[in-house]
């Protein structure tokens, strides 16, 4: 379909591309919640059938999208609100189990500012696996003892390896119960940039992310549940042409491999990575809160 | 004029926007040299009259543009060729004088990859001013003793100050004979990205560079000659819309402050900053060559 | 005097070197406060006479030293307590005046981990000068409107210039009412590392800091008040030899220019720089607190 | 033995600790070559028996140590000489085989300057595995087609995992023929710092490196040959006390986890990492030379 020619990593945007058409998408359930006080909107997109998955171009599963306009602004107290909300929904996807071993992978290229979200988030996590292995469960002084490990695998141009090869090797060796991957995403529209966080239990699909990871990181491929947390930080250059033209017929080939990003992306990535790492520390019950 | 609505930092592109029209631009002299063996093209644009300056939207002076398609590729020997060519033309603009005090300023934001060209170049320069002041002219073991100092002033969002305020203060205190500024530029077209280096003796104008420096760094404002070295590393998002539409009437306002850049910009900036710092070290006669 | 042969940047340590001797130091007043609940100790050393200054090897003025053992541990709530205490004492030194223009300089080398405290602190400050100049006093949405600017001048090996030349130039151009300098210090003993913060209204003296800045940053040299905030992050290699031997007679010359620092200094610098930047934002009344 | 109480990662230093004693070390063969013109000294220590291994505190195998006083100085031409020598000896250890798959691991903490040697070296390697897998052997335009991959695993405080767990996982998934690990080492004496490179075919032992990796990276543990390249960049704080006292009886416990390093370590690490990456590119026959 013409309207799907421009790639998006966001289920929310895939859904929106059907709006205006008078058909509902079979096998896709959408719910919205709006927290007026904190100005945080949550959209749940559930893809419950193969047909829904085909139409959406995304695998079956749950997609939670949290939108908050002030997400990238330098207001520490508001960030904590977003972190709390994010931790809440993340725990919903993680389930009730306690004392798990959780590997967090920060995908992307730390040397390209809008792609550094994953690496920066992992660098601010509380890492506990080695401490608990050496000193026992009480070491963190909290009731819960999740063993958290973290990895920043780098991108293929830096390693010569697929991200999935590296992660699979580490998963095999260290046997975590759960993998959480953090990734910078490509949105369809600049409106979504740096104000939207997507959580999904479907993992990472080929061709997603700013750097277009080609292989899967999914429960099917790795044997453990995979939660992906993504924030759109770029738009493919093709998409903004499409938006202004309504079609892609005159898409110049030299725009392949080009992305569009805001000039103050350094500040945005700094703020967002704090928000995400704080949310993860809360969800893992390693911080005083949540 | 319609055709000038999209900003370019390159004199070469400003000139090209007149091509196809049957009028020559008064007061603008253009010469080309092509080194076939090394595949390096040099274009000299001289703006010799006020009228030429007005038409070009650039001040009177010399603009040398060096184009080499392989500039960003990881071939060390070819880079040295480009560095040598660049050093040669830089010395042409610098003049014959020896034993000067030269301040090199690396403009731009080191935390935004395509804007980090200036900061990275300065970090690889041979800095000699403090050594010559402490140990005398023979300290570097070469015949020539240029006193080189370097500064990375940061951008206004980081400092709260105009770059020009910082540079002027440092120039006043340390009295260099010459200022060289390095800056990442915005090109009009993605074709120019990372394969074009512009040298000019006109300094830096308001509104130029990736981060849109608002104030001048010119001989008029600082009292010493100012050479600017710029490499286009981004295109304004508006420009690629313009290119695909032929006009800017439907330019979406949310594209203000957005830029387009290649995904592998980290590698490009690394290569280019080495090429520039090597060229500067050669031109200052601090390296074995040139 | 033998006992003073090993350099310390801390007035507290200079004072301690007289302990055990039965003479009081004339012209030096020492007071201590201890906050048991938060385990924060404050020591005020006032050097009130030239004779005291001579004996202490430090200029006349106020030195507040805040000690807290948990300062470098990753406990966000405790850090906020320390930031609050620090903001309180900083405001004491800053005085009551409102709506000032304040320049914060992060001294040191961002590429050497224990010396990166100043640069990292400045990178987390709320910078407001350019916003207030462009949009007026209400822009930050708080009652108070301090205009904050920040600079990371680099070290002499990187710039070829004295830090004092750069700062003086910027002070002349931008006319702040107050300069605050942040610097990593050399302590006399590893016991002080990363758990001590010194505030002083005497500025920076020659030969202080990890990188041994040679020139002054003082009210006398700059014409505006200068508050220095320092945290010891290294010990000179000579000092640990002295400690183990009781004298420096066999001090090996190759230990000049060597320093001692903990292996986890990266985590420490990250934590401390957040604590300092939060305290500064509070003291400038730009954060919700204080 | 008293004399072995202070740890060294260098076989050369382990050997020297026996000098002055009138016993030869059984099972240890030492040869020296000196290149006067280039002022490069090569020492081969071969540990050929279990008894030699026991006395030396190092496993059986070959240790090549290349010493060059000017190694850290900013002279590009001299660095190329050292890179060439290093590539030559590295090829000696690698053997004759062509068209291999080689994984290079940059051990250490990229956020602690003297420990960042491995990470920085890997970031300047020519990575070819993904290109050859996608485009075939001719892609690099040279006769030889080594498939080079690279990984920067991080340190345990960042990942919660042993470096050996991460490397083993990646080796299992990607099946390289050879592993090369780059690591910053702890020397016994400041004299060795930043002027010595050790190559060994024995891999990495527990307790070695600046950050004390606790597990093995050896042919025995991984099933493929492992070459370790190490450069001493720190001395344990304990060692300089030992040197000045001749014994460790009064070793203060707070010096555990402390290291000694030069103030200009940032420049040194930059130079050394270029020298190493250039040598590796040459040894892999990916650069024009060697």
């Amino acid at each position: 379909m013409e309207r799907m020619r421009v790639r998006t990593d966001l289920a929310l945007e895939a859904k929106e591309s059907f709006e205006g058409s008078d058909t509902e998408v079979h096998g896709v359930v959408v719910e919205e919640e709006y927290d007026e006080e904190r100005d945080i909107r949550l959209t749940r997109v559930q893809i419950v059938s193969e047909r829904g998955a085909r139409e959406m171009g995304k695998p079956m599963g749950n997609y939670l999208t949290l939108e908050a306009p002030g997400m990238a602004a330098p207001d520490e107290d508001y960030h904590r609100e977003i972190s709390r909300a994010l931790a809440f929904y993340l725990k919903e996807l993680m389930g009730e189990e306690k004392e798990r071993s959780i590997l967090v992978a920060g995908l992307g290229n730390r040397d390209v500012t809008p792609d550094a979200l994953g690496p920066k988030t992992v660098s601010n996590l509380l890492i506990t696996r080695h401490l608990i292995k050496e000193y026992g469960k009480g070491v963190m002084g909290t009731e819960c003892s999740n063993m958290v490990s973290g990895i920043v695998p780098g991108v293929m141009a830096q390693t010569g390896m697929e991200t999935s090869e590296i992660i699979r090797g580490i998963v095999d060796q260290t046997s975590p119960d759960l993998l959480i991957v953090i990734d910078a995403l490509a949105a369809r529209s600049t409106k979504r940039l740096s104000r939207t966080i997507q959580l999904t239990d479907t993992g990472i699909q080929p061709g997603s992310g700013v750097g277009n990871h080609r292989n899967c990181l999914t429960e099917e491929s790795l044997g453990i549940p995979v939660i992906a947390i993504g924030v759109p930080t770029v738009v493919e250059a093709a998409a903004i042409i499409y938006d202004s033209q309504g079609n892609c017929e005159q898409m110049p080939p030299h725009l392949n491999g080009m992305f569009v990003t805001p000039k103050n992306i350094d500040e945005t990535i700094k703020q967002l990575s704090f928000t995400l790492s704080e949310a993860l520390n809360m969800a893992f019950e390693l911080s005083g809160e949540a």
Side-chain angles (χ1 to χ4, degrees), chain A residues 183-281:
Chain A
D183 204 6
L185 302 180
R188 176 76 186 67
S189 152
T190 54
K191 284 180 311 183
R192 296 274 178 227
L193 291 185
S194 311
R195 45 187 290 166
T196 309
I197 301 171
Q198 176 175 275
L199 306 178
T200 174
D201 53 10
T202 61
I204 293 268
Q205 310 308 318
S208 60
V210 171
N212 286 7
H213 312 296
R214 286 184 291 184
N215 285 21
C216 286
L217 293 170
T218 61
E219 178 157 11
E220 203 180 345
S221 68
L222 292 171
I224 54 171
V226 182
I227 293 173
I229 305 178
V231 181
T233 62
V234 306
V235 171
E236 306 260 347
I240 68 167
I241 300 280
Y242 179 91
D243 274 1
S244 77
Q245 290 188 347
N247 68 65
C248 294
E249 277 159 38
Q250 293 134 15
M251 186 71 68
H254 60 263
L255 289 181
N256 280 334
M258 297 267 168
F259 60 75
V260 181
T261 200
K263 278 175 190 168
N264 64 347
I265 185 67
D266 57 327
E267 278 306 309
T268 303
I269 293 293
K270 190 156 77 171
Q271 295 291 355
L272 289 172
S273 64
F274 283 130
T275 300
L276 294 191
S277 56
E278 197 173 31
L280 288 164
N281 289 336

Side-chain angles (χ1 to χ4, degrees), chain A residues 26-189:
Chain A
H26 263 274
V28 178
V29 183
V30 180
E31 286 171 12
E32 266 193 39
E33 294 165 30
Y34 179 55
D35 176 340
E36 203 168 337
E37 194 192 342
R38 298 185 296 174
D39 193 10
I40 299 177
R41 182 180 306 275
L42 186 90
T43 311
R44 281 166 212 273
V45 176
Q46 270 180 286
I47 306 182
V48 295
S49 75
E50 286 298 344
R51 181 171 160 195
R54 239 178 0 256
E55 298 237 351
M56 293 283 284
K58 306 240 161 269
M60 287 170 59
N62 295 291
Y63 300 85
L64 306 188
T65 309
L66 193 150
E67 292 172 278
M71 202 178 273
D75 177 337
E76 215 179 296
D77 293 331
Y78 186 53
H79 288 170
R80 200 156 299 131
E81 294 294 326
I82 298 173
S83 293
R84 267 190 213 109
L86 188 55
F88 178 85
Y89 294 116
L90 185 55
K91 286 166 90 167
E92 182 184 315
L93 289 185
M94 285 170 62
E96 289 296 303
E97 230 176 301
K98 300 255 171 188
E99 306 205 348
R100 273 185 291 191
S101 176
I102 303 167
L103 173 62
V104 184
L107 307 190
N109 184 343
R110 66 167 83 227
D111 296 330
V112 173
T113 314
D115 204 15
L117 180 72
K120 274 192 190 285
T121 300
V122 168
S123 79
N124 286 313
L125 284 185
L126 288 173
I127 298 295
T128 61
R129 180 179 179 267
H130 59 308
L131 299 173
I132 290 173
K133 287 193 86 159
E134 184 142 354
Y135 304 108
K137 287 182 179 182
V139 66
M140 301 308 292
T142 60
E143 277 185 39
C144 181
S145 298
N146 285 306
M147 294 211 300
V148 180
S149 52
I151 189 75
V152 175
V155 296
M156 208 196 281
Q158 295 166 333
T159 65
M161 300 179 279
E162 298 279 353
T163 301
S164 57
E165 294 178 298
I166 297 170
I167 302 290
R168 197 177 307 128
I170 293 171
V171 166
D172 285 357
Q173 283 294 318
T174 64
S175 305
D177 304 311
L178 171 65
L179 173 66
I180 297 180
V181 292
I182 320 286
D183 204 6
L185 302 180
R188 176 76 186 67
S189 152

